[in-house]
Each structure stands twice: as C-alpha cells, then as structure tokens.
Amino acid sequence: MDLNKLSRGERIVLIVGAILFVLSFVPLWATQSFQGGTHRLSAWSGEYNFLVKLGLILILAAVAYTGARGAGKAITMPINAGLAYVVAGGIMTLALLIALLTGPGNEFPGSGIDISRGILLYVGIILAAVITYGGYLHMQTETGPVSGRTSPPSPGNV
C-alpha cells in the first residue's frame, strides 16, 4: 500500500480509523462492578447500544475503502468518498456522544451491578471527531462534478 496515493484527509481516516477499530476490542470502554469484583467491557459488549456498533462497522468500511484506494484499487461509490468519510465519522461521533450521555445499559437495575463509563469511551469520541475532520479535509481536495448539478449559464449566453 502506498500512502502517498492518498490525500492528507484519507491518511487521517485510514490511520485513526484503524486505531479506533483496534481499540474497540480493548476492554476499557466500560466497567461492570458487582459484589465481589469488576469486569471490564469492550465497545462490542452488549452494554453499548446498536449505534456504537453501527458506527464501528462504518469506520471499518471507511478504513477498508481507504486501504483499497491506497493499494491502487479503483472502487466507485454513488457519493464522493469525502462525504462518505464525514458521514461515517459523524455517525460514530454522535453514537459515542449518546453513549457518553446515556451510559452503558444496566439490564438489571437494583441488582447491585453498576456499569460505568471507561476511559476509551472518551478517547473514542476524540478519535471519531478526528476521522470526521479527515473526511472533511479529503472532501475539500476532491474535484469533479457534484452529483447531478451543472453550472448555470453565463449571463452573456442567456
């Protein structure tokens, strides 16, 4: 893979997205405390809502697409790549913010089991925002026609 084939924004999406995806398996996203011990949870555990998992899958798709572009594969999409990166990063950022505000779910309230937010939830929000920024940077470098729009006629040609 040649990273020089990628724009600065795509390199950000690729590297930061890969880091976020790998960190999603580290069990520091939440801590489950109960009588007699604690259990640490990853982003893929059942305590986080569907949006977090959807965001991670979108980030993985963005990393795979960017990696394929870096490897010289021509893959066409119905939308610009920069917009796809911004949407994936935005959904992930929003999902993690919702997870931060609502906290991991507790299936058995009043059972003596306490589930708290972990440090990687905060780190994940920052990384997802950086991915969104990388997508925005790439979107600024993309050229070509915007889907279905044509330039208006000049005033002299009317």
Side-chain angles (χ1 to χ4, degrees):
M1 176 184 331
D2 185 12
L3 291 180
N4 293 326
K5 292 181 180 180
L6 302 175
S7 70
R8 179 174 178 227
E10 283 183 310
R11 288 191 299 264
I12 290 171
V13 169
L14 178 68
I15 294 167
V16 177
I19 290 169
L20 179 60
F21 188 73
V22 169
L23 287 178
S24 72
F25 293 100
V26 176
L28 292 174
W29 288 75
T31 303
Q32 186 178 34
S33 302
F34 47 90
Q35 296 172 345
T38 60
H39 186 277
R40 290 191 165 89
L41 306 168
S42 73
W44 295 98
S45 68
E47 281 71 19
Y48 281 108
N49 62 20
F50 171 73
L51 276 177
V52 173
K53 293 167 186 68
L54 173 66
L56 287 168
I57 291 168
L58 289 174
I59 294 299
L60 178 61
V63 167
Y65 176 77
T66 309
R69 282 178 48 95
K73 305 292 182 196
I75 301 172
T76 58
M77 289 194 315
I79 61 172
N80 290 339
L83 180 60
Y85 299 145
V86 168
V87 168
I91 288 174
M92 187 67 206
T93 305
L94 182 63
L96 291 177
L97 283 172
I98 290 170
L100 176 67
L101 294 174
T102 62
N106 188 353
E107 295 178 17
F108 307 105
S111 63
I113 298 175
D114 180 39
I115 302 176
S116 61
R117 296 155 187 88
I119 187 69
L120 284 184
L121 178 58
Y122 299 97
V123 172
I125 292 170
I126 294 168
L127 293 178
V130 170
I131 291 168
T132 307
Y133 174 70
Y136 174 76
L137 283 180
H138 180 68
M139 195 167 39
Q140 299 301 313
T141 64
E142 287 180 322
T143 57
V146 178
S147 58
R149 290 178 49 188
T150 60
S151 59
S154 63
N157 294 338
V158 180

